[in-house]
Amino acid sequence: MILPIYTYGHPVLRKPTENISSDYPELPSLIKNMFDTMYHADGIGLAAPQIGLAIRLLVIDLAPLKEDDPDLGTFKVVMINPTMLEMSEEEEEASEGCLSIPGISEKVKRSEWIKIKYLDEQFNEHTEEFEGFKARVVQHEYDHLEGSLFTDHINPLRRQLIKSRLTNIVKGKATCDYKIKTA
Ligand code: NI
């Protein structure tokens, strides 16, 4: 089932998120719905607050990148209750977008590598290190669980330049070809 994506300005995107347990109601179908919603919107990552749930759950599938980079193309992951353990001081800058902020992309500095602990769909614990683009996507989605958006990371001048477009999103004037839910 394809769910509406909550957009910039909706309070759920800023709400603290809670850990879930394995008896969370209909978790397998929730995870499937998140993937379906993400694929439908041509996204590569989606976090639970983006579908209106303030819980610590995110999904990523970099399959659309497989022609450019086969290693990235096989990266598909569900992270439940993730905790960031380490982030490199070295940063890299690259352009990012977000399904909750349609039509806007900006350069964002992110740590080059990270170490993160999470549970998979079967609630098995993993501790993994990621670098480069994988690290970037994980940081972006993890940020959603911390109530943070990529626009929080851009410099004040750039933020000023996109202010009116962000205001349009808040007012529900954004146009995109997937279902959205504004505040
Ligand atoms: Ni996002």
Side-chain angles (χ1 to χ4, degrees):
M1 186 170 52
I2 292 160
L3 307 167
I5 294 178
Y6 289 54
T7 48
Y8 187 89
H10 197 290
V12 74
L13 296 176
R14 299 300 194 178
K15 218 174 148 185
T17 54
E18 290 184 359
N19 282 341
I20 58 170
S21 57
S22 55
D23 58 6
Y24 189 86
E26 297 182 57
L27 185 58
S29 59
L30 171 61
I31 291 168
K32 184 184 182 297
N33 291 343
M34 284 179 67
F35 276 114
D36 289 349
T37 301
M38 180 183 84
Y39 296 141
H40 175 73
D42 291 327
I44 53 173
L46 191 72
Q50 296 182 275
I51 51 147
L53 296 174
I55 58 172
R56 297 185 70 76
L57 166 64
L58 64 85
V59 302
I60 292 170
D61 187 351
L62 302 186
L65 304 171
K66 72 168 171 270
E67 299 212 339
D68 296 333
D69 186 332
D71 175 53
L72 290 182
T74 55
F75 185 59
K76 180 178 177 181
V77 71
V78 175
M79 292 187 180
I80 295 169
N81 305 342
T83 305
M84 196 67 79
L85 299 175
E86 280 181 66
M87 301 170 81
S88 69
E89 277 179 33
E90 309 84 71
E91 293 183 317
E92 260 171 5
E93 194 173 54
S95 189
E96 286 187 23
C98 179
L99 295 177
S100 293
I101 312 177
I104 298 180
S105 63
E106 287 291 328
K107 282 188 173 170
V108 182
K109 274 187 190 162
R110 299 278 187 191
S111 293
E112 251 173 43
W113 69 264
I114 58 165
K115 189 176 183 181
I116 191 168
K117 184 174 82 173
Y118 65 93
L119 304 172
D120 64 22
E121 281 179 88
Q122 283 75 43
F123 280 74
N124 297 315
E125 191 177 297
H126 301 260
T127 298
E128 284 184 274
E129 289 179 31
F130 298 110
E131 58 177 19
F133 191 73
K134 289 182 192 175
R136 173 172 299 276
V137 178
V138 173
Q139 286 172 82
H140 177 117
E141 299 311 328
Y142 186 88
D143 263 10
H144 278 296
L145 307 184
E146 303 291 305
S148 179
L149 300 168
F150 83 82
T151 46
D152 301 341
H153 294 287
I154 64 181
N155 72 53
L157 176 65
R158 288 300 310 171
R159 198 170 319 132
Q160 190 61 33
L161 288 169
I162 63 168
K163 202 176 166 186
S164 62
R165 286 192 286 155
L166 288 173
T167 305
N168 278 342
I169 296 174
V170 175
K171 289 181 181 164
K173 288 183 192 161
T175 47
C176 57
D177 46 17
Y178 47 90
K179 210 170 18 156
I180 57 172
K181 187 164 168 57
T182 49

